[in-house]
Amino acid sequence: MNKGQLYLIPNTLGENNPFDVLPAQVKTIIDSLDTFIVENSKAARKFIKSISPEKSQPSLTLFELNKHTQPEDLPNFIKPCLEGKTIGLLSDAGCPGIADPGADIVKLAHQNNIKVVPLVGPSSILLAMMASGMNGQSFAFNGYLPIDKNERKSEIKRLERISKDYNQSQSFIETPYRNNKMLEDLCNTLSNDCLICVACDITLDTEFIKTQTTNQWKKNSADLHKRPTLFIIHKE
């Protein structure tokens, strides 16, 4: 029996028209599938309906992959592929497998010789780097920084040192309601001439992307409260 494939299906980065940021191929693939691995069933059904309104919702089979999922459940998620059925891995936002629990499923697919097919879509990490003016030849994504004040300060200084020593831009995110505090911490910790890029609400109507020095941010800040934001620093 031939195995099914695993399509990695991108999602929008916010509440906007999906066809403004997703290629036609995404609709073609979603139209053809009825089994998906998703982070949240309710959100996934809403997205699928926006892409393929004619698709029968009761006919969908959804497996939830999130922080509550047990590792021993994962083999069941790819079992349809082993039985010849092609399925889709759908992220809540952006691209599956990038800062996303879907990476565990992709790893398992490779271990079982299941063909993995990534589809084109928006990645906040890449879009922010593209627009930052920083080093697109060498950069790192660091996820979330420590919450503890002293640990966070140490980590910010460590990333600044790495950036300077290796000419490598360093990116990271924060829980949206703590974004303003993050920018404040960056301004209070980094060298005055260190570059900071703030990329907020990427692809949305309220998109804001700006790169300036720490000293300039101190004089000209921005309100990032509860807005999805990616931060990038670079020390020359």
Side-chain angles (χ1 to χ4, degrees):
M1 178 186 295
N2 292 328
K3 295 177 182 178
Q5 300 179 359
L6 175 67
Y7 278 99
L8 309 186
I9 303 173
N11 203 330
T12 60
L13 297 175
E15 293 290 333
N16 54 350
N17 185 340
F19 298 107
D20 286 344
V21 294
L22 298 174
Q25 185 190 21
V26 171
K27 175 173 171 53
T28 300
I29 297 301
I30 288 179
D31 284 346
S32 70
L33 302 178
D34 58 22
T35 302
F36 299 86
I37 301 170
V38 305
E39 287 186 69
N40 178 276
S41 293
K42 184 178 180 179
R45 287 184 181 278
K46 180 180 179 181
F47 173 71
I48 292 170
K49 186 174 182 179
S50 72
I51 296 289
S52 184
E54 68 281 1
K55 182 177 287 291
S56 170
Q57 289 284 327
S59 70
L60 298 179
T61 299
L62 303 181
F63 298 99
E64 284 200 348
L65 175 63
N66 50 47
K67 62 182 180 181
H68 303 296
T69 306
Q70 299 301 312
E72 57 267 26
D73 293 335
L74 298 186
N76 289 329
F77 293 2
I78 65 164
K79 188 177 179 181
C81 286
L82 299 177
E83 296 172 346
K85 190 179 187 66
T86 293
I87 67 176
L89 173 62
L90 175 63
S91 179
D92 264 1
C95 298
I98 305 298
D100 174 86
D104 291 334
I105 286 293
V106 176
K107 180 180 180 181
L108 193 58
H110 285 297
Q111 291 171 349
N112 285 273
N113 293 315
I114 294 168
K115 184 177 181 180
V116 176
V117 185
L119 302 183
V120 174
S123 166
S124 60
I125 299 170
L126 291 181
L127 292 172
M129 278 304 309
M130 288 165 59
S132 70
M134 296 183 183
N135 190 2
Q137 295 286 348
S138 180
F139 59 90
F141 176 67
N142 298 277
Y144 293 91
L145 301 193
I147 296 176
D148 178 81
K149 182 178 180 180
N150 292 329
E151 291 180 5
R152 171 177 291 204
K153 182 177 180 180
S154 295
E155 181 66 2
I156 291 172
K157 292 301 293 184
R158 186 184 76 86
L159 294 178
E160 184 180 30
R161 286 194 301 272
I162 292 174
S163 179
K164 180 176 174 59
D165 291 345
Y166 297 96
N167 188 30
Q168 185 181 71
S169 301
Q170 302 293 320
S171 64
F172 42 88
I173 53 177
E174 179 54 284
T175 303
Y177 67 84
R178 289 202 293 258
N179 280 335
N180 286 340
K181 186 64 170 63
M182 170 60 82
L183 184 55
E184 179 184 331
D185 289 345
L186 293 176
C187 288
N188 291 335
T189 306
L190 295 168
S191 305
N192 280 334
D193 61 347
C194 184
L195 290 173
I196 304 172
C197 175
V198 171
C200 177
D201 290 345
I202 296 176
T203 74
L204 304 182
D205 291 340
T206 53
E207 181 178 85
F208 171 82
I209 303 175
K210 191 172 185 64
T211 296
Q212 53 186 6
T213 64
T214 303
N215 199 43
Q216 289 172 320
W217 277 114
K218 289 178 181 178
K219 300 174 182 177
N220 182 28
S221 192
D223 185 8
L224 311 173
H225 187 57
K226 291 187 176 180
R227 302 168 67 187
T229 302
L230 195 135
F231 300 89
I232 312 174
I233 64 172
H234 193 101
K235 172 68 174 174
E236 297 179 339

